[in-house]
Amino acid sequence: MEALRRRGHVVGYLGDGINDAPALHEADIGISVDSAVDVAREAADLILLKRDLGVLLRGIDHGRKTFANTMKYVSITTSANFGNMISMAFASLFLPFLPLLAKQILLNNLLSSLPSLAIAGDNVDVEQTSTPRRWDIGAVRRFMISFGLISSLFDFLTFGFLLLVQHATVDIFRTAWFVESLLTQLAIVVIIRTYHAFWLSRPSPLLSALTLGVALLAIAIPYLPLAGWLGFVPLPLPTLGGIVAITCLYLIVSELTKRWFFGREHRKRVRRPRPLRLKAVED
């Protein structure tokens, strides 16, 4: 078991006797049956109540889908928070006013989190479930930095557009950046959820509905009756058009960056030592 794991295998072991306990403990997943001896059941991670290995296949399939969707959420959330932190920090240094009010930040976080609730039931590409995957904090860190910096870059582009081109007032600046920030966070959900081009992989109906609904709400918020209480004002048409154009450009750049990033991560996995092809030995 130890030799297989060192070579990169994800190892499962099935046993029910006293002599199986060390291997059950060493394996990634130890599997036993309800009629096994006590020490085997204690060492196992899973205990089968019926003699049916099909339940393991279904569990593996659901587990890989759950892990893939979990990684989507972790990647999207860490990169968005990292990018927003950098943008807010730099904006606070150079702007003579707060870029966003506290209640605007809270509303932004609330609305951007709504589509994330549907990620748990999102469709998963076959490539993400064809082989077992492990938690890789290094890959998460590289993803966070790459896409977080891109998010900040487009925030700075928005700042320049609002201040230098539109000569926006404080309220228009906050309103426009709120809309841009929310739209780009929704766009990255659509981009990152798949290794393929985003238009070739269909998200789940709930994720599609929530993403589209929140995007339309983000554009409509400045024109709603409660906008004044939140500190928002109606956006002039040229400003709104510029924000939508920046979001579309962000979507294109993120799609290209995604292909580069996942391609590089795939090459790193390929260069690792290939696992030994050992036949299973029946106890």
Side-chain angles (χ1 to χ4, degrees):
M1 296 299 103
E2 184 180 354
L4 286 169
R5 294 182 68 189
R6 282 202 306 264
R7 295 294 299 180
H9 283 284
V10 177
V11 185
Y13 186 85
L14 175 64
D16 60 356
I18 296 176
N19 61 319
D20 292 314
L24 287 168
H25 184 269
E26 180 64 29
D28 289 291
I29 298 294
I31 307 167
S32 191
V33 293
D34 189 40
S35 58
V37 298
D38 292 343
V39 66
R41 292 201 304 269
E42 290 294 329
D45 300 291
L46 298 175
I47 298 177
L48 300 179
L49 300 181
K50 296 189 300 182
R51 294 181 177 273
D52 178 17
L53 294 180
V55 68
L56 294 179
L57 294 177
R58 294 190 293 273
I60 290 171
D61 183 57
H62 288 302
R64 290 181 180 179
K65 288 182 178 178
T66 300
F67 182 78
N69 284 331
T70 301
M71 291 307 300
K72 292 179 189 178
Y73 177 80
V74 170
S75 300
I76 291 168
T77 304
T78 54
S79 60
N81 289 341
F82 180 69
N84 288 339
M85 179 187 67
I86 293 177
S87 300
M88 288 291 291
F90 275 87
S92 299
L93 291 175
F94 297 103
L95 293 178
F97 54 86
L98 289 175
L100 284 178
L101 300 177
K103 54 188 174 183
Q104 294 171 343
I105 296 175
L106 293 175
L107 179 62
N108 187 298
N109 289 338
L110 173 63
L111 293 179
S112 63
S113 298
L114 290 179
S116 299
L117 298 175
I119 291 179
D122 187 27
N123 300 327
V124 178
D125 296 335
V126 175
E127 292 82 359
Q128 299 183 52
T129 58
S130 58
T131 57
R133 297 182 181 272
R134 296 178 182 269
W135 172 260
D136 187 351
I137 189 63
V140 173
R141 186 186 304 112
R142 291 188 293 271
F143 185 98
M144 177 189 72
I145 294 174
S146 299
F147 286 87
L149 291 178
I150 290 176
S151 175
S152 294
L153 176 64
F154 276 85
D155 283 337
F156 298 148
L157 178 62
T158 303
F159 297 164
F161 168 74
L162 294 174
L163 296 175
L164 303 178
V165 178
Q166 293 295 310
H167 304 289
T169 63
V170 173
D171 289 336
I172 290 180
F173 181 95
R174 289 170 176 164
T175 304
W177 190 33
F178 174 90
V179 174
E180 183 270 345
S181 176
L182 190 51
L183 290 179
T184 52
Q185 290 183 72
L186 296 173
I188 202 65
V189 173
V190 178
I191 295 291
I192 300 305
R193 57 163 300 277
T194 175
Y195 290 173
H196 302 292
F198 72 90
W199 58 86
L200 297 178
S201 179
R202 181 177 299 177
S204 66
L206 181 59
L207 180 59
S208 300
L210 286 176
T211 302
L212 180 60
V214 173
L216 294 176
L217 180 60
I219 297 174
I221 280 179
Y223 308 96
L224 297 178
L226 291 177
W229 180 80
L230 294 169
F232 297 132
V233 294
L235 292 176
L237 188 59
T239 302
L240 181 59
I243 293 300
V244 173
I246 291 173
T247 302
C248 292
L249 182 60
Y250 173 78
L251 194 145
I252 295 172
V253 172
S254 297
E255 175 66 29
L256 296 176
T257 305
K258 177 189 74 175
R259 299 185 187 187
W260 165 79
F261 180 85
F262 287 134
R264 187 186 65 172
E265 293 297 313
H266 175 72
R267 290 191 294 272
K268 284 185 177 181
R269 289 194 297 267
V270 170
R271 286 197 296 267
R272 293 172 183 169
R274 303 187 72 177
L276 292 172
R277 298 299 181 184
L278 301 181
K279 294 183 179 180
V281 178
E282 184 175 342
D283 181 25

